[in-house]
Amino acid sequence: FIAFAAAFALAAAGLWFAAPAAARPTIRQSFFNVYTAAAGSRLDNLPSHTGHCGVCHYDLNGGGARNPYGVRLGNVIGNYSNNDAGRQLAIHAIEAEDSDADGYTTFVEVTNLTYANTPTFPGLTAANVGNCVNIPTLSELTPALTPQTALDSQPPVVNVLSPDGGNSWVGGSAHAITWSATDNVGVTSVDVYWRDGASAPWTPVLLGGTNSGSVNWFVPNMPTIAARVKVVAWDARGNSGRDSSAANFAVTATPGGIAPTTLRDFELPGTQPLQVGALESSSTCTNCHGGYAPAVEPGHLFKGSMMAQAGRDPLFYACLAVADRDAPGAGDLCIRCHSMNGWMAGRSQPTDGSALGSADRDGVNCDLCHRLVDPVDAGNVSPPEDDGVLLSLLPGHTPVNYSNGQMVIDPQARRRGPYSDTVAPHQVLSSAFHRSSDFCGTCHDVSNPVFVRAGDRDYVPGPLDERAPSLLSSDVMPLERTYSEWKHSAFPAGVYAPEFVGTKPGGMASSCQACHMPDANGKGCSDPLAQTRSDLPRHDLSGGSSWMLGVVGTLYPGETDATALADGAVRSRELLGKAAALDVEVVPEGDSTRAIVTVTNRSGHKLPTGYPEGRRIWIELTAYDGFGAPVLTSGAYDASSGLLTADPLLRTYETHLGISPGLAAALGAGAGGPSFHFALNDTVYLDNRIPPAGFTNTAFAGFGGEPVDPEHEGPGPRYADGQNWDVAGYPLPASARTVKVRLLYQSTSRDYVEFLRDQNTTNTAGQELYDAWVANGRAQPVEMERDSAAFGPLAVEPGGTPDGLVLRGNPFANTLHFELTIGRAEPVRWLVFDAQGRLVASSAERRLSAGRHVFGWDGRTAAGADAGAGVFWLQVRHGDGQTGRRVVRIR
């Protein structure tokens, strides 16, 4: 900041010797960010010197003496923050002044298009233009020195040269759209559009471009025989001329692919490409929102999240390559969420990601999130400005739910946040949407829109080469349902979870942000006068993929912050440690013992949740004898190879998607079954992930998220309503004396990275991911929780007990059988309570004769519902006495 202020002071004194190389483009860009209508005009580009510095400098290459406007800007700019927002404020501060004393203020010269030749240079006049250097043709400046009152009504003359009809271009291929455009004063900008039918809307290819006569176009994979191109040219007065292809041309489908999909199959509502200008780089935001308090500031925390690295994630590129090859056009859906800047700029064409550049690696950045508009706003609580944003969407592009990256972005740089009292150098709007889990649902309910629901668990291809008839999560093939899982859990009403929510009073978690952006005490920006808040949202944004943060840092050392990434990995592992509880107990079984392991989901969604492929949790159990030697192991993982041993007792929690036999036959893709071809998968073969608190089978079935477990043999569903835990039983050898248990999480398995490596036939992204996986510990599993139990020889229950109660099988899977022997006739009743002491089931009281009686409980509640797995208490009341046993139901 001091260097910039000193440089401007020297300029004002006429002692300018050289500006820092980085200063010129940032100040220049801020000028055109303020005066967007001047972008593309002579103030921005001259035919012989595009990208010049003629607004402030006599030397159009930049540096040296400044013209009167540049001198005046140098006088004031040091009073503002050294970032784009501060520079814009300085530019606004002097726009009502007439720096060059030509009778017109800067604002008039740059913005008032009622004159024939505006915008004109605010620092140049006929008296001083001779001082300009490094302009090959000085006459290019003279038409834009002082506003002229003569009106120009002559529009540019435009002629589309190619495609002008009769062409046949392949979807995904690159072609040049060419034109000629002339004007008596000069063409200031050019817009290029295309459409795929006579009644279809014109879709932008280029907006506000220079009159170069050509633009390279990656033809969208939208087959048609009625395509046309239109070019619109604008002059400084605002007159426009246009021309379109003289006749139709054809677009043919992208060749290859296993499924015959097109880009239309993956078309989604929301803001469309080129409707919003380039998003601000996150590095610009962290100038003010970082660098002062790493533990709480947004900048440091955000840079250590996978959201910030979404456009650098090598798994994204490897998965994209296979998906777009399997189903042409599918890559557009991937790019939409991982590189919104590239998608908005139109660089998702071609859909294989090959047009993405370094600027597109900024991921899910600050400017994107803080310019999002609630697309539904059912409570009508959004800022009033949002109504205009929604009305500006193209017909048919207003989302009706929160899913699949259907983002609505404010085309103006108006940032939204959770506070109504923010003071900032940029415009801020208070947005309830940014406090709501609906905000998170935008990207965390993901479906394949090609497959539509045809039954309780059946999905079939919808009408191909057109948008899905419905994009509701209840109607299309589920890929990720984190938001819906949360929405249909106990969390929206509030769950006591103080370990998640930071400084939030009361410790209640009721939104996604409560756990993934926990409250903290701190300031939101580096301004010393900024207020300290007790509810500052920590931008942790942590997920489960801690290992990938290290990979990103290795691949892009010049673009990332190693300290922030390392801190982010720590936070990710800490969050995983809070997501589950683990309990192990040892109970008698026959002439030996059994370990009972209970895993409880403490999160607000399934355990694990998110994108399912390659992601899993499992129980690792090892039993030791009295000398410390292992006598039983289940869930053994070899870190040197990345292999998880599939022993008979292994308990994993994961999802397996796949291709149904019918679809596989139609696609020629084999016999069907579980697969990693997510763009082709139409079936959920397995989903035994543990539901969250408040889960019900009916609600989860509504959005395609009900548990699916073909190996479940007990009565009722895999998880009973309300069950957010699972119980696994392990028969132990008689020599066992100690049991140690760990719950392990792995976000990227060996079979998944090998699939992405071997199935990639289009580029090297799969091999690069595999190499990074090997070089970075093979996605070493993270320990979520551990427990242990030590025990001696346990007495085995004989044929009878002093109280006359005998259990026949405990733990039990289906029905608990038990016997009671009484010495005289008396009333008998049995009751079952859950671990919290709540009555689950009971029998009617009956008077029984003396002797032995056999009973059974089928695992159902008094209402007939499955009581699920877990620990229960059996109580038998007879006469004046009663007896009880701890029983365990397993799956």
Side-chain angles (χ1 to χ4, degrees), residues 735-751:
S735 59
R737 294 295 178 267
T738 304
V739 173
K740 295 183 179 180
V741 183
R742 296 197 301 163
L743 189 66
L744 299 174
Y745 172 93
Q746 187 177 41
S747 63
T748 313
S749 64
R750 170 174 166 164
D751 54 349

Side-chain angles (χ1 to χ4, degrees), residues 693-754:
F695 147 85
T696 67
N697 284 278
T698 299
F700 273 51
F703 60 81
E706 71 274 32
V708 178
D709 190 351
E711 296 184 1
H712 171 59
E713 297 178 351
R718 173 64 173 84
Y719 295 99
D721 288 355
Q723 182 180 342
N724 67 318
W725 67 88
D726 188 47
V727 179
Y730 297 83
L732 301 179
S735 59
R737 294 295 178 267
T738 304
V739 173
K740 295 183 179 180
V741 183
R742 296 197 301 163
L743 189 66
L744 299 174
Y745 172 93
Q746 187 177 41
S747 63
T748 313
S749 64
R750 170 174 166 164
D751 54 349
Y752 185 42
V753 293
E754 288 183 339

Side-chain angles (χ1 to χ4, degrees), residues 205-291:
V205 174
L206 173 71
L207 294 178
T210 59
N211 187 26
S212 62
S214 178
V215 63
N216 192 46
W217 182 43
F218 287 100
V219 182
N221 181 26
M222 302 176 74
T224 179
I225 58 172
R228 295 205 183 198
V229 160
K230 178 175 70 173
V231 176
V232 180
W234 300 84
D235 66 13
R237 175 66 181 84
N239 299 307
S240 65
R242 64 200 64 209
D243 186 38
S244 59
S245 306
N248 293 336
F249 66 95
V251 174
T252 59
T254 301
I258 297 175
T261 52
T262 72
L263 187 58
R264 294 187 182 96
D265 293 302
F266 300 97
E267 182 184 28
L268 299 170
T271 301
Q272 298 301 301
L274 300 180
Q275 281 195 300
V276 173
L279 297 171
E280 189 79 72
S281 168
S282 294
S283 61
T284 301
C285 302
T286 56
N287 283 336
C288 288
H289 296 283

Side-chain angles (χ1 to χ4, degrees), residues 416-470:
R416 288 153 178 77
Y419 302 114
S420 59
D421 58 349
T422 301
V423 178
H426 54 76
Q427 187 173 2
V428 179
L429 301 176
S430 176
S431 168
F433 183 47
H434 285 68
R435 291 185 180 271
S436 166
S437 293
D438 296 338
F439 179 92
C440 307
T442 303
C443 286
H444 293 281
D445 244 32
V446 183
S447 307
N448 185 342
V450 173
F451 298 103
V452 299
R453 197 165 188 168
D456 290 343
R457 294 181 177 176
D458 297 323
Y459 296 86
V460 298
L464 293 179
D465 195 29
E466 61 182 78
R467 186 197 286 186
S470 170

